[in-house]
C-alpha cells in the first residue's frame, strides 16, 4: 500500500507472496483480500501474467471460491500444466471430485500432457469420488509414461487403493515405489491398521521401516499404536510408547490419544484415565477415544457388573465433556448412544437426544441411526419410529435397525411393510436386513412370507444364506410345533446347525412333548461341546425332569471339562438416575421385606386369574450351588420364585409412579416361569413392563408379551 501511495510500479512477482498471505488468512477475510488484489491486477493488466494468474486460481480454490477460480481460469489466454493442476487439486480440496475428473478429461482432449503432480491430484480425485476404475486408468497412464516410480505418485497410488479397500493393489504400488519416504511407509502402515486381516503386515512394515533407516513421524507412531490396540498387544504397545519418548513424540496429542485408547482396549482403565487427566490440552478426538473406548470394552468385561461400571464411566465422561469448553461431535453422540443402548438407559438417552438437537447433529445419518437403535433397545418403539420417520436420509443400516426393532417388539407386519418400503426406496438390503426380516416372520409364524423372502435373498439379491438365516427358518418351524419340517429343512438345505440352533430344537421339542427328537437334538448338541453355560442348564433341566441321571452326570462332566463356569442370574433397574442390582434370592436391598411381600401378593393374585407356576428342574450350575457332584440337587422351587428379574420388577412397581413403564435388564435368558408370571404382573398392576434378556426384548402389557408367547416356549 505504501508503494501504491508513492506512485511506484508494483512488479507482477510481488503479488505472489501477497496472495499466499491470503491463503494463510483464509478464515479471517483472506478471500475478500484476494478479490481486492484481483481487481487491482485487472486494473494494471497484471492478471494477464500466467504465473500470477495461476497463483490466484490456487488461492481462490484454497479459500473455497471454486467458481471464482474457474471463471478466472476460463479467462486466461494461456495456461500451463501448473494451471490445470491447480484447478484439479482445488476441486478435490473443495469436495468437488467429479468436477476435478471433468477438468482432467478436458485437459487431455485439448492435447495437454499432465505432470506427475497432475496425475497425483487425479488419483486423489478418483479416491474421493470412489471411482477406482478411473484411478486404474490413471495408474495405467502413469505406467505408460514412467511416472509410477516417482515417490509422490507411488504415495498417491498406495493411498487410493488402500482407501478403496484394495490393500493388495496398494501393497503392489508400495513395493513398486523405489524411493520410499516417511509418507509412503505411513500410508501403508495406517491402512493395515484399519483392516484386521493386515495387522501383522502393518507391524512387519514398521520394523522394515526402522531397519531401512527411515525415521517415523507422529502419524506413523499413531498408526502403529493403533495396530497394537487392534491386536490388544500391551507388551508391544509399551515398547512403542517407550520409542515415542525416545524420539520426542510422547507429548504429541494423536500419539497420546492412541496410547490411551490402547490401555482402554486392554481394560487398564486406571492407566488410561491417568494419561487422560495428565494431558495439558485435549481435543474432541481425545474425549471420543475415551468414551468409545469405554463403550467397546463393555462387551469384553469379565462380568456384567464391570460392563455396567464402564458404561457409567462413559456417561460420566460425556457429562464432563458437555460441561467443558469443547463440544461433542457426531462420533461422540454415536458412541454414547451405543452405551445407552447397551445399558437400556432411556432417561440418559433422551437427554442425549435433546443435546443432538441443540448442537445440530441430529441431521447426521449415523447419529440418527444410533438414536433409532437406542430407542429400540430401550423398548420404546414409538420413539424409535418417530426418530426414523423424521430422518432426512436413510441408509441400509437405518432401515435394518428399524425392521429389527419392529421384529423385537412383536410388530412383525410392520417389519414386513417397512422392508417393502425399503425396496421401493431403492435401498439394497444386506444379509443382516434379511436376518431381521426372517426373525420377524419367525416370531409371528409367517411361514409363506419367510420362505418367499428366503428365496428372494438367494435368487434376487444373490446373498448366500448364513447360519443366522437358517436359524430363523428352523426357529419358525419349532415355534409352530412343526418339528418334522424343521428337521427336514436342515436335511434339505444341508447346512450344519450351530449350538444356538440345536439348543432351539432341544427346547422346542421338549416344549411340544416330542422327547425322542429332543434327545436326538441334545446328542447332536453335546457333540459340539457347547461353550455357553445356558446350554448346559437347558440340557440339565430336560434330563433331570425325565429322570435320566446318567445323562445328567454326562452333561455336568462336560460342563466341568469345558470350564463354562456357573450360571449367574443378574438383573438391573434404573430409577431416578440410580441403578439397583439384584441376584437370585437377593436379600441385600434395604426394602427386601417389602419386595418379597409384594412378590408373594402378586403371585397369589396371579394364581387366582390363571397363572400356574412352572416347576423348573434344579439349577445345578447356578452360582448358588457349588461343585459338580453327581447327586441330584433338591428342587429349587423357592429360587424360582425369586429370580433376579422378578425382584427388579417388584422394585420398579414399588418405587415408580403409577402408570410408569418398568424397564429391567437381565444378563441371561428368562425362565419360563418368570416369563409367565410377569405377564400376569403387567395385567394386575396395569403397567407396561419391559425386560431385555440375553436373547431378546420382552414387552409385557395387559397380560401379553411382545414375543407372542412363542418366545416363552424356548426359554430355559
Amino acid at each position: 500500500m505504501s508503494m501504491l501511495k508513492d506512485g511506484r510500479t508494483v512488479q507482477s512477482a510481488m503479488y505472489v507472496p501477497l496472495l499466499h498471505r491470503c491463503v494463510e488468512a483464509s478464515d479471517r477475510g483472506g478471500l475478500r483480500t484476494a478479490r481486492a488484489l484481483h481487481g487491482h491486477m485487472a486494473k494494471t493488466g497484471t492478471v494477464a501474467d500466467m504465473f500470477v494468474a495461476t497463483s490466484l486460481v490456487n488461492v481462490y480454490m484454497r479459500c473455497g471460491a471454486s467458481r471464482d477460480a474457474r471463471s478466472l481460469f476460463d479467462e486466461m489466454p494461456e495456461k500451463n500444466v501448473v494451471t490445470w493442476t491447480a484447478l484439479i487439486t482445488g476441486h478435490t480440496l473443495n469436495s468437488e471430485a467429479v468436477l476435478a475428473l471433468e477438468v482432467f478429461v478436458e485437459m487431455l482432449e485439448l492435447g495437454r500432457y499432465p505432470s506427475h503432480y497432475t496425475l497425483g491430484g487425479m488419483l486423489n480425485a478418483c479416491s474421493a469420488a470412489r471411482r477406482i476404475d478411473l484411478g486404474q486408468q490413471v495408474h495405467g497412464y502413469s505406467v505408460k509414461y514412467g511416472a509410477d516410480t516417482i515417490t509422490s505418485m507411488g504415495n498417491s497410488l498406495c493411498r487410493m487403493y488402500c482407501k478403496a479397500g484394495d490393500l493388495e493393489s496398494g501393497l503392489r504400488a508400495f513395493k513398486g515405489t523405489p524411493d520410499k519416504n516417511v509418507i509412503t511407509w505411513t500410508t501403508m502402515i495406517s491402512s493395515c491398521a484399519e483392516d484386521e486381516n493386515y495387522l501383522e503386515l502393518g507391524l512387519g512394515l514398521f520394523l522394515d521401516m526402522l531397519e531401512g533407516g527411515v525415521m517415523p513421524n507422529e502419524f506413523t507412531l499413531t498408526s502403529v499404536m493403533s495396530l497394537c490396540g487392534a491386536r490388544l498387544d500391551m507388551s508391544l504397545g509399551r515398547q512403542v510408547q517407550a520409542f515415542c519418548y525416545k524420539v520426542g513424540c510422547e507429548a504429541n496429542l494423536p500419539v497420546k490419544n492412541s496410547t490411551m485408547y490402547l490401555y482402554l482396549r486392554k481394560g487398564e482403565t486406571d492407566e488410561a484415565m491417568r494419561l487422560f487427566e495428565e494431558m495439558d490440552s485435549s481435543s474432541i478426538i481425545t474425549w471420543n477415544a475415551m468414551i468409545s473406548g469405554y463403550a467397546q470394552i463393555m462387551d469384553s468385561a469379565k462380568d456384567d457388573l464391570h460392563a455396567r461400571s464402564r458404561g457409567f464411566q462413559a456417561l460420566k465422561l460425556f457429562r464432563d465433556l458437555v460441561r467443558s469448553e469443547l463440544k461433542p461431535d457426531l462420533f461422540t453422540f454415536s458412541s454414547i448412544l451405543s452405551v445407552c443402548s447397551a445399558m437400556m438407559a432411556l432417561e440418559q438417552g433422551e437427554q442425549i437426544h435433546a443435546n443432538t438437537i441443540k448442537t445440530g447433529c441430529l441431521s447426521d445419518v449415523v447419529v440418527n441411526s444410533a438414536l433409532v437403535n437406542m430407542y429400540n433397545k430401550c423398548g420404546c418403539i414409538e420413539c424409535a419410529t418417530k426418530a426414523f420417520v423424521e430422518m432426512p436420509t436413510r441408509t441400509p443400516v437405518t432401515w435394518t435397525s428399524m425392521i429389527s426393532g419392529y421384529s423385537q417388539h412383536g410388530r412383525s407386519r410392520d417389519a414386513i411393510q417397512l422392508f417393502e418400503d425399503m425396496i421401493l426406496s431403492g435401498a439394497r438390503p444386506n444379509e443382516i436386513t434379511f436376518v431381521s426380516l426372517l426373525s420377524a416372520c419367525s416370531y409371528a409364524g409367517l411361514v409363506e412370507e419367510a420362505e418367499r423372502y428366503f428365496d428372494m435373498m438367494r435368487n434376487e439379491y444373490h446373498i448366500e444364506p448364513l447360519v443366522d438365516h437358517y436359524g430363523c427358518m428352523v426357529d419358525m418351524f419349532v415355534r409352530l410345533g412343526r418339528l418334522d419340517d424343521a428337521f427336514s429343512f436342515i436335511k434339505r438345505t444341508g447346512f450344519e446347525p450351530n449350538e444356538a440352533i440345536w439348543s432351539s430344537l432341544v427346547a422346542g421339542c421338549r416344549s411340544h412333548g416330542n422327547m425322542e427328537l429332543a434327545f436326538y437334538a441334545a446328542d447332536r448338541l453335546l457333540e459340539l461341546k457347547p461353550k455357553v453355560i445356558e446350554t448346559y442348564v437347558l440340557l440339565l433341566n430336560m434330563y433331570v425332569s425325565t429322570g435320566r441321571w446318567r445323562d445328567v452326570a454326562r452333561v455336568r462332566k462336560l460342563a466341568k471339562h469345558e470350564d463354562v463356569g456357573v450360571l449367574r442370574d443378574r438383573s438391573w433397574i434404573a430409577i431416578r438416575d440410580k441403578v439397583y442390582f439384584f441376584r437370585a434370592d437377593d436379600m441385600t436391598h434395604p426394602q427386601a421385606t417389602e419386595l418379597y411381600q409384594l412378590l408373594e401378593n402378586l403371585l397369589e393374585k396371579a394364581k387366582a386369574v390363571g397363572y400356574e407356576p412352572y416347576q423348573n428342574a434344579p439349577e445345578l450350575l447356578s452360582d448358588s450351588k457349588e461343585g459338580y457332584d453327581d447327586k441330584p440337587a433338591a428342587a429349587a422351587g423357592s429360587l424360582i420364585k425369586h429370580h433376579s428379574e422378578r425382584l427388579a420388577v417388584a422394585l420398579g412397581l414399588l418405587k415408580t409412579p403409577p402408570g410408569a413403564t418398568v424397564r429391567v435388564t437381565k444378563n441371561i435368558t428368562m425362565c419360563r416361569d418368570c416369563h409367565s408370571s410377569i405377564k400376569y404382573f403387567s395385567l394386575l398392576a396395569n403397567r407396561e413392563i419391559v425386560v431385555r434378556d440375553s436373547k431378546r426384548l420382552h414387552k409385557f402389557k395387559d397380560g401379553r408379551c411382545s414375543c407372542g408367547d412363542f418366545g416363552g416356549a424356548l426359554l430355559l
Side-chain angles (χ1 to χ4, degrees):
M1 294 301 296
S2 298
M3 292 177 67
L4 291 176
K5 288 178 181 178
D6 294 341
R8 288 183 286 173
T9 303
V10 179
Q11 300 296 321
S12 60
M14 296 188 65
Y15 287 100
V16 176
L18 291 174
L19 290 170
H20 288 167
R21 291 292 298 275
C22 294
V23 174
E24 294 171 4
S26 57
D27 59 341
R28 302 187 305 277
L31 177 59
R32 186 173 63 253
T33 306
R35 285 173 174 159
L37 285 170
H38 186 183
H40 188 269
M41 289 160 58
K43 182 178 179 181
T44 59
T46 312
V47 74
D49 187 307
M50 184 176 64
F51 176 68
V52 177
T54 298
S55 295
L56 186 55
V57 168
N58 181 55
V59 169
Y60 275 141
M61 281 297 189
R62 292 186 177 278
C63 290
S66 55
R67 288 188 179 181
D68 290 7
R70 180 71 209 209
S71 176
L72 173 61
F73 177 86
D74 291 337
E75 293 173 0
M76 290 176 64
E78 290 185 75
K79 309 175 188 74
N80 61 11
V81 67
V82 179
T83 315
W84 287 95
T85 302
L87 195 64
I88 290 169
T89 56
H91 278 309
T92 305
L93 183 68
N94 287 297
S95 303
E96 299 168 337
V98 175
L99 291 178
L101 300 179
E102 291 174 357
V103 171
F104 182 71
V105 172
E106 182 184 347
M107 177 184 182
L108 295 180
E109 287 176 346
L110 291 174
R112 302 300 179 90
Y113 289 96
S115 67
H116 65 276
Y117 295 110
T118 318
L119 295 175
M122 264 304 296
L123 290 171
N124 292 336
C126 292
S127 179
R130 298 181 180 178
R131 291 296 305 272
I132 190 68
D133 55 330
L134 291 180
Q136 289 171 329
Q137 294 180 44
V138 175
H139 187 179
Y141 188 97
S142 66
V143 172
K144 180 179 179 181
Y145 290 98
D148 60 312
T149 58
I150 299 173
T151 301
S152 61
M153 271 298 294
N155 295 347
S156 297
L157 285 167
C158 186
R159 183 165 50 248
M160 180 195 70
Y161 283 122
C162 290
K163 280 191 175 181
D166 187 359
L167 263 70
E168 290 299 325
S169 296
L171 189 59
R172 283 195 292 272
F174 171 81
K175 291 178 179 178
T177 307
D179 298 320
K180 301 176 181 66
N181 59 16
V182 66
I183 297 173
T184 320
W185 289 98
T186 302
T187 300
M188 200 65 227
I189 292 170
S190 62
S191 300
C192 290
E194 295 172 2
D195 191 321
E196 62 181 11
N197 297 316
Y198 289 86
L199 301 180
E200 297 298 329
L201 175 62
L203 291 172
L205 289 173
F206 178 62
L207 294 176
D208 293 342
M209 177 184 183
L210 296 178
E211 290 174 357
V214 180
M215 180 60 66
N217 58 21
E218 63 269 25
F219 302 107
T220 321
L221 294 170
T222 300
S223 298
V224 174
M225 196 62 80
S226 298
L227 284 167
C228 297
R231 290 177 78 242
L232 298 179
D233 192 333
M234 195 70 247
S235 175
L236 184 58
R238 286 196 172 99
Q239 292 180 52
V240 176
Q241 186 181 12
F243 185 86
C244 292
Y245 277 96
K246 181 179 178 181
V247 298
C249 287
E250 77 284 354
N252 182 268
L253 191 56
V255 173
K256 293 188 78 170
N257 289 345
S258 57
T259 305
M260 183 181 64
Y261 189 67
L262 169 62
Y263 280 111
L264 273 177
R265 288 293 306 275
K266 283 295 291 182
E268 297 193 20
T269 54
D270 292 341
E271 183 64 19
M273 186 58 72
R274 184 188 65 79
L275 287 172
F276 177 72
E277 292 174 347
E278 287 178 355
M279 288 185 174
D280 295 328
S281 62
S282 61
S283 67
I284 187 61
I285 297 174
T286 311
W287 288 88
N288 286 345
M290 288 294 290
I291 292 171
S292 65
Y294 275 110
Q296 289 186 26
I297 60 176
M298 287 180 70
D299 293 332
S300 60
K302 64 181 180 180
D303 56 43
D304 302 284
L305 279 176
H306 280 80
R308 296 190 75 84
S309 172
R310 290 163 176 177
F312 284 125
Q313 188 62 47
L315 288 169
K316 180 180 180 299
L317 280 166
F318 178 78
R319 183 196 64 193
D320 293 341
L321 169 61
V322 171
R323 294 173 178 175
S324 72
E325 296 178 354
L326 297 171
K327 300 299 178 186
D329 63 5
L330 307 177
F331 190 85
T332 320
F333 284 119
S334 61
S335 296
I336 199 62
L337 284 170
S338 72
V339 172
C340 295
S341 299
M343 298 177 65
M344 209 161 80
L346 180 61
E347 290 184 19
Q348 290 85 351
E350 288 174 332
Q351 294 171 21
I352 293 165
H353 184 180
N355 216 313
T356 63
I357 297 172
K358 181 180 178 181
T359 57
C361 291
L362 188 58
S363 59
D364 180 75
V365 67
V366 175
V367 174
N368 248 313
S369 298
L371 192 64
V372 169
N373 186 57
M374 184 273 296
Y375 280 125
N376 278 333
K377 292 289 182 65
C378 290
C380 194
I381 191 65
E382 294 79 12
C383 294
T385 302
K386 185 174 184 295
F388 178 81
V389 169
E390 292 176 351
M391 290 181 68
T393 57
R394 302 183 182 103
T395 66
V397 173
T398 317
W399 287 99
T400 300
S401 178
M402 198 65 231
I403 292 169
S404 175
Y406 280 135
S407 171
Q408 287 281 310
H409 284 78
R411 294 169 58 170
S412 297
R413 291 293 180 186
D414 289 333
I416 291 171
Q417 183 57 57
L418 190 62
F419 176 78
E420 296 294 343
D421 293 342
M422 177 184 182
I423 300 301
L424 288 174
S425 74
R428 184 178 178 83
N430 55 30
E431 58 270 16
I432 302 175
T433 313
F434 278 103
V435 169
S436 300
L437 181 64
L438 293 173
S439 294
C441 296
S442 171
Y443 293 146
L446 304 173
V447 178
E448 290 184 8
E449 288 86 345
E451 290 177 335
R452 178 165 63 86
Y453 288 127
F454 189 84
D455 292 337
M456 176 192 291
M457 175 182 70
R458 300 184 70 174
N459 301 328
E460 293 185 29
Y461 292 96
H462 308 292
I463 297 173
E464 283 302 311
L466 303 173
V467 68
D468 289 340
H469 301 115
Y470 290 119
C472 291
M473 298 298 289
V474 171
D475 188 59
M476 175 183 64
F477 289 124
V478 170
R479 289 169 185 267
L480 294 174
R482 293 169 55 174
L483 305 176
D484 291 334
D485 288 337
F487 279 94
S488 108
F489 177 81
I490 293 172
K491 186 176 180 180
R492 184 173 73 251
T493 53
F495 81 99
E496 290 293 329
N498 61 8
E499 180 179 339
I501 294 174
W502 282 122
S503 296
S504 172
L505 285 164
V506 169
C509 292
R510 180 190 175 199
S511 175
H512 293 291
N514 193 329
M515 298 311 296
E516 182 181 352
L517 283 178
F519 293 142
Y520 169 80
D523 288 339
R524 303 289 79 74
L525 179 56
L526 288 170
E527 289 174 1
L528 299 178
K529 295 183 178 179
K531 306 299 181 187
V532 180
I533 178 65
E534 292 175 78
T535 302
Y536 289 93
V537 175
L538 171 69
L539 293 172
L540 285 170
N541 281 333
M542 180 180 70
Y543 287 135
V544 170
S545 65
T546 53
R548 295 171 66 115
W549 302 112
R550 288 187 178 180
D551 287 322
V552 169
R554 179 165 62 114
V555 171
R556 296 170 75 186
K557 183 178 179 181
L558 181 61
K560 184 176 182 180
H561 180 268
E562 294 298 318
D563 193 24
V564 293
V566 293
L567 188 70
R568 292 182 170 86
D569 177 13
R570 307 284 187 267
S571 292
W572 294 264
I573 181 170
I575 302 174
R576 290 189 286 275
D577 289 331
K578 187 173 181 180
V579 176
Y580 299 88
F581 162 80
F582 290 96
R583 296 182 175 89
D585 247 354
D586 201 332
M587 292 293 295
T588 59
H589 193 276
Q591 293 176 280
T593 304
E594 293 177 67
L595 294 181
Y596 280 82
Q597 186 60 52
L598 176 59
L599 269 181
E600 293 300 326
N601 291 340
L602 285 170
L603 288 170
E604 287 302 317
K605 290 178 181 178
K607 288 176 185 176
V609 292
Y611 162 64
E612 295 181 4
Y614 175 79
Q615 289 301 320
N616 209 350
E619 304 192 8
L620 304 178
L621 298 181
S622 74
D623 55 358
S624 61
K625 308 289 178 186
E626 293 184 3
Y628 293 89
D629 58 77
D630 295 332
K631 297 178 182 178
S638 63
L639 192 60
I640 284 291
K641 276 188 184 178
H642 307 308
H643 275 172
S644 63
E645 67 269 38
R646 276 185 180 169
L647 294 169
V649 168
L651 183 67
L653 295 174
L654 195 65
K655 298 197 68 171
T656 57
T661 299
V662 176
R663 288 183 169 82
V664 173
T665 309
K666 183 175 174 66
N667 67 326
I668 58 174
T669 313
M670 292 179 71
C671 76
R672 275 191 266 189
D673 188 61
C674 287
H675 184 271
S676 176
S677 62
I678 293 175
K679 281 198 308 177
Y680 286 96
F681 293 174
S682 70
L683 178 66
L684 294 168
N686 193 25
R687 294 282 200 104
E688 182 177 87
I689 301 172
V690 178
V691 180
R692 196 176 84 196
D693 66 16
S694 61
K695 288 188 177 177
R696 65 164 296 153
L697 183 139
H698 299 270
K699 196 169 187 176
F700 301 93
K701 189 175 183 181
D702 299 327
R704 293 179 179 150
C705 179
S706 59
C707 71
D709 281 349
F710 284 112
L714 299 180
L715 300 170
L716 295 178

